[in-house]
Amino acid sequence: MAVTKKIPARLCLGCQQQHPKKELVRIVRSPEGEFSVDLTGKKAGRGAYICNNKECLEKAFKSHGLDRSFKSKIDKAVYDELLQQLLSE
Ligand SMILES: [Zn+2]
């Protein structure tokens, strides 16, 4: 059993810790500029990663993690929308 698969890790914008990609959700900005939670990891657009929990999304909001990641000001309404999508899963 010498097969060690390297699990791709990504930095969570909330807690600033590396986590295996599959434990994170992808926040994606479409070419039209709309943000959504991408649970398939296949949506087109620029993406950022966050733990699949409310706390990390709130941390990301407070630290402006998404703002930095997408290099633009993200509205509170966008975070609220993302939170709704996250909680509906
Ligand atoms: Zn996190």
Side-chain angles (χ1 to χ4, degrees):
M1 300 297 275
V3 183
T4 20
K5 251 194 178 172
K6 203 165 184 286
I7 301 159
R10 291 289 182 276
L11 195 71
C12 165
L13 290 174
C15 58
Q16 300 290 321
Q17 312 245 336
Q18 298 267 358
H19 294 281
K21 209 173 152 187
K22 61 178 179 188
E23 290 177 14
L24 302 171
V25 291
R26 188 166 173 254
I27 309 285
V28 69
R29 183 174 62 186
S30 72
E32 291 78 37
E34 280 190 16
F35 289 88
S36 61
V37 175
D38 176 18
L39 295 157
T40 63
K42 291 187 174 72
K43 283 189 188 174
R46 192 185 161 79
Y49 290 87
I50 192 163
C51 295
N52 194 357
N53 67 52
K54 189 172 173 280
E55 286 72 30
C56 282
L57 187 66
E58 281 171 354
K59 276 185 206 162
F61 172 64
K62 281 181 193 137
S63 66
H64 303 285
L66 285 181
D67 296 37
R68 276 200 304 273
S69 198
F70 292 103
K71 295 187 172 63
S72 60
K73 182 94 181 69
I74 315 288
D75 228 58
K76 172 83 163 65
V78 172
Y79 280 91
D80 286 343
E81 175 63 30
L82 294 174
L83 189 62
Q84 289 305 317
Q85 292 185 29
L86 208 65
L87 295 178
S88 68
E89 279 309 306

